[in-house]
Amino acid sequence: MAILKAGTRLRSAVCSTEVMVVAAPKEDIELTCGGVPAIELGSEPPAGVEISADAQNGTQIGKRYVNESGDLEILCTKPGEGSLGVAGALLSVKGAKPLPSSD
Amino acid sequence: MNLMMLLEMASDGFGDRVAFCNGDDRLSYSELFRAAGAAANGVASSGTAHLAMLDVSSLALPVGLFAAAWAGVPFVPLNYRLTGSELESLVEQIVPSRVITETERLASLSELAGTQVVGREEFLAAARHEGASSQPSEWSMDPDEIAILLFTSGTTGPPKAAVIRHKHLVSYILGSVEFMSADESDAALVCVPPYHIAGMAAIASSVYSGRRVVQLPNFTAESWLELARRECVTNAFVVPTMLARIVEVLEGRQSADLPHLRSLSYGGGKMPQSVIERAMDLFPETDFANAYGLTETSSTIAILGPDDHRAALASDDPVVRRRLVSVGKPLPSVEVEIRDEEGNALAANERGEIHVRGEQVSGEYLGKGSQLADDGWFPTRDGGSVDAEGYLFIEGRIDDIIVRGGENMSPGEIEEVLLEHPALCDVAVVGVPDEQWGEAVAAVVVCKDGHQAAVPELQQWVKERLRSSRTPERIEFWQELPYNETGKLLRRKVRAQLVSG
């Protein structure tokens, strides 16, 4: 469990997924990927962890993932097989809201 | 949060797409990624603290920008129009630095202390060559590192360097662009110089959206039109003086004949209503967007979108019609508030100073620190108002406000009224010293071709529409107004010439 801050980079312990935190509530959160707690980018996964069968819908590069209340937003920077989740609930893909191109 | 994250995603997601093209030379996202990594090795081993570029747009520009991010040093695009001594005073502020420049400048720059100089072609060739084989290092992920130092144009004083950190620029991109949202055939024509924030923002947003950048190093309306046609350009950004030139060149032709141009956005200065109206006629299929932003806000903070443009042009309601000269509504990730001099929030249609807050707002200058309030609000020094439906209108710089007999008036308000006069195509209103009132209102106007107007007639025009105190005591007719090359009216020059003449 940790307080996630905007800009924090994490990786999956069980697949190739890498993410960046875009927005997060100011409370302890455990982000999971493939059903296993995500770890700091650059750190090694603990031994013996395996992807959970009910969390392998995969992540897509560039997609933003949000929780139900919408206060947690995670950007996928490298795709993988696992699904992102918090407290047992999977995150869902946030719909894009296109802005007029300005530059 | 680092610019490199955007490029790495692009390289992973669509590495084979063309990222940048200049003339016939092209760079794909994966080539750009590897070249930046190789150039970063060079920057790191040179021990320099800044990577500067004194040059027009070239393929070396994106390589330099991302190499600096990769090496963890600020990228500093310098204004190549500055004179020798002006330039020296800027370069002194960023030693030790490595400066990428064109061949003709190599000798003069290499005499400056603490400055290593490298030619553009040499820098680019080495980065491409080594990029094909070398092993790039890791980059920092500290969002607080400086991404870009941009010397602001200094229309009211000497240039100062705005500090834009990685978190600001990346927040702007994440707040306004979707990853890989462009089609592979999309292309953005970038003609603003690298030392303009819009030039930097265009690189970052094009990379993240996967849109090919077509570089035009030296703008002329003719070359812009030719390149847009040849490269099937779909998106472009221009400053108002550029659009005015494009419209001028197209007058007399049946249409612009740019069938691929979907979106034309503009910003960086006040757009005359007549120019945007004529442009919309010439480009009936094109979506127009007016973007308002500052260097200190990492580019755009408000946009008047295509639907608003069309609704305003089609409307007989003066309130709706006037929105054509507004900058639209704030981005969803940005808050805007109009405040009076005491800092109190003002109601709709009241004029005051524009304050802005958001993750992309840096509000910091080199050596002066952050100008943000404790609660994150940044006073822009731009005057403005918001109408009842939330459309933001810019009234010019607070520092340009005319104080006549204790009454504050914004030049923008008087200029807007004068520009509605059928004989005029451009106008600047400034305060000039006056013994009786402290300052007097003076106007410099430019007549449309084949039109003329008399001073009393113009004074009467203003008097009928605004209070009599706002009627210019003095009106002069000029052939043209002085603008800098990115379309900002140089009020200092107007004022100086009025006072001396």
Side-chain angles (χ1 to χ4, degrees):
Chain A
M1 301 283 268
I3 306 262
L4 297 181
K5 284 201 323 207
T8 300
R9 305 282 304 268
L10 298 167
R11 58 166 287 203
S12 169
V14 291
C15 72
S16 56
T17 298
E18 291 183 11
V19 301
M20 189 193 83
V21 179
V22 177
K26 289 190 178 66
E27 59 197 48
D28 273 349
I29 280 189
E30 188 162 74
L31 181 74
T32 58
C33 184
V36 178
I39 54 177
E40 266 183 48
L41 198 57
S43 63
E44 287 302 313
V49 288
E50 277 181 33
I51 192 164
S52 147
D54 54 4
Q56 42 185 324
N57 300 330
T59 52
Q60 282 178 280
I61 188 168
K63 294 285 185 214
R64 299 148 194 253
Y65 294 86
V66 288
N67 61 356
E68 197 155 326
S69 59
D71 54 4
L72 177 70
E73 183 174 329
I74 304 290
L75 173 72
C76 171
T77 58
K78 272 193 201 302
E81 293 161 10
S83 308
L84 296 168
V86 167
L90 295 187
L91 303 186
S92 55
V93 174
K94 185 186 182 188
K97 39 174 186 358
L99 288 171
S101 169
S102 70
D103 45 32
Chain B
M1 279 201 183
N2 185 293
L3 284 180
M4 276 311 303
M5 184 186 85
L6 307 182
L7 178 59
E8 188 186 35
M9 288 172 70
S11 180
D12 283 352
F14 40 84
D16 292 338
R17 278 196 190 186
V18 175
F20 287 80
C21 60
N22 192 308
D24 293 329
D25 203 2
R26 264 135 226 267
L27 207 53
S28 73
Y29 287 100
S30 59
E31 283 172 326
L32 172 58
F33 181 76
R34 291 196 305 267
N41 287 343
V43 171
S45 62
S46 72
T48 187
H50 303 84
L51 184 61
M53 182 169 277
L54 178 68
D55 201 4
V56 296
S57 285
S58 74
L59 297 187
L61 173 65
V63 174
L65 172 65
F66 288 106
W70 201 319
V73 302
F75 185 67
V76 193
L78 295 166
N79 184 344
Y80 47 81
R81 293 176 196 264
L82 296 178
T83 62
S85 62
E86 289 172 317
L87 203 54
E88 267 175 48
S89 75
L90 302 193
V91 174
E92 275 169 10
Q93 296 182 46
I94 54 164
V95 286
S97 66
R98 181 169 233 225
V99 185
I100 304 160
T101 190
E102 56 194 333
T103 317
E104 300 84 76
R105 293 201 190 245
L106 284 172
S108 63
L109 277 174
S110 56
E111 288 167 12
L112 296 176
T115 306
Q116 307 167 20
V117 188
V118 56
R120 168 219 303 161
E121 303 303 330
E122 187 195 335
F123 170 82
L124 181 61
R128 289 172 116 166
H129 178 73
E130 289 159 24
S133 58
S134 76
Q135 273 303 319
S137 53
E138 291 288 303
W139 59 80
S140 163
M141 291 184 207
D142 182 356
D144 287 315
E145 278 188 4
I146 298 174
I148 300 170
L149 291 176
L150 258 190
F151 287 92
T152 61
S153 54
T155 50
T156 51
K160 49 189 177 187
V163 176
I164 300 164
R165 297 179 187 276
H166 283 279
K167 61 182 177 186
H168 301 126
L169 206 48
V170 173
S171 295
Y172 166 64
I173 296 303
L174 295 183
S176 62
V177 186
E178 282 300 317
F179 182 73
M180 215 168 96
S181 51
D183 288 334
E184 189 157 8
S185 56
D186 285 4
L189 178 47
V190 177
C191 56
V192 285
Y195 57 83
H196 193 290
I197 182 64
M200 290 289 105
I203 295 176
S205 60
S206 296
V207 163
Y208 196 62
S209 65
R211 184 184 295 132
R212 174 168 60 101
V213 169
V214 178
Q215 294 179 323
L216 176 58
N218 294 294
F219 175 86
T220 63
E222 291 83 0
S223 61
W224 188 91
L225 287 162
E226 206 274 319
L227 192 56
R229 193 169 300 125
R230 177 154 52 93
E231 292 284 355
C232 301
V233 161
T234 54
N235 300 65
F237 174 89
V238 288
V239 299
T241 43
M242 292 172 175
L243 190 59
R245 281 291 300 137
I246 292 165
V247 163
E248 246 176 72
V249 166
L250 287 176
E251 300 267 83
R253 297 191 198 176
Q254 286 295 318
S255 84
D257 189 26
L258 293 176
H260 299 281
L261 187 66
R262 275 202 317 266
S263 157
L264 184 52
S265 56
Y266 58 92
K270 192 177 170 68
M271 176 67 79
Q273 188 164 347
S274 61
V275 173
I276 185 60
E277 286 175 358
R278 281 148 73 200
M280 289 177 72
D281 278 345
L282 287 162
F283 297 91
E285 306 296 325
T286 301
D287 284 347
F288 282 84
N290 183 4
Y292 164 68
L294 295 89
T295 306
E296 298 90 329
T297 60
S298 315
S299 190
T300 307
I301 51 177
I303 298 181
L304 183 77
D307 295 341
D308 289 325
H309 273 80
R310 293 202 174 93
L313 190 67
S315 179
D316 294 327
D317 180 347
V319 173
V320 179
R321 181 90 187 183
R322 196 169 96 88
R323 289 191 189 134
L324 209 46
V325 293
S326 87
V327 296
K329 295 183 176 178
L331 299 185
S333 50
V334 166
E335 296 168 87
V336 166
E337 219 170 76
I338 309 295
R339 298 187 187 169
D340 67 14
E341 283 168 24
E342 277 79 50
N344 306 308
L346 292 172
N349 295 315
E350 292 188 318
R351 297 180 146 93
E353 182 175 1
I354 300 170
H355 288 246
V356 56
R357 179 163 74 172
E359 297 294 329
Q360 71 184 70
V361 178
S362 111
E364 181 185 350
Y365 304 101
L366 194 63
K368 295 186 173 68
S370 170
Q371 310 294 307
L372 300 187
D374 291 342
D375 56 2
W377 286 94
F378 174 61
T380 62
R381 301 306 288 159
D382 273 343
S385 61
V386 173
D387 77 7
E389 285 190 50
Y391 289 84
L392 176 61
F393 290 82
I394 311 298
E395 315 276 0
R397 301 295 288 169
I398 296 279
D399 304 307
D400 294 328
I401 280 184
I402 302 165
V403 186
R404 182 185 182 275
E407 188 182 353
N408 287 2
M409 45 189 105
S410 117
E413 178 189 18
I414 305 167
E415 286 166 359
E416 205 176 291
V417 165
L418 275 170
L419 267 177
E420 286 165 14
H421 189 281
L424 303 183
C425 65
D426 206 359
V427 48
V429 170
V430 297
V432 291
D434 182 88
E435 282 187 11
Q436 188 181 357
W437 299 104
E439 272 189 308
V441 180
V444 173
V445 301
V446 180
C447 286
K448 291 178 188 164
D449 282 346
H451 288 74
Q452 49 187 359
V455 170
E457 174 194 349
L458 295 177
Q459 288 173 326
Q460 187 62 27
W461 180 272
V462 176
K463 205 172 192 169
E464 282 167 8
R465 289 162 177 81
L466 296 168
R467 267 174 277 172
S468 63
S469 61
R470 282 160 170 71
T471 307
E473 278 112 325
R474 202 171 140 193
I475 299 181
E476 284 197 9
F477 295 87
W478 290 8
Q479 291 299 314
E480 58 178 10
L481 300 181
Y483 287 93
N484 75 5
E485 68 285 356
T486 54
K488 281 211 174 75
L489 176 65
L490 297 171
R491 288 177 194 278
R492 268 188 310 176
K493 280 199 173 175
V494 173
R495 204 176 293 118
Q497 196 163 332
L498 281 174
V499 170
S500 68

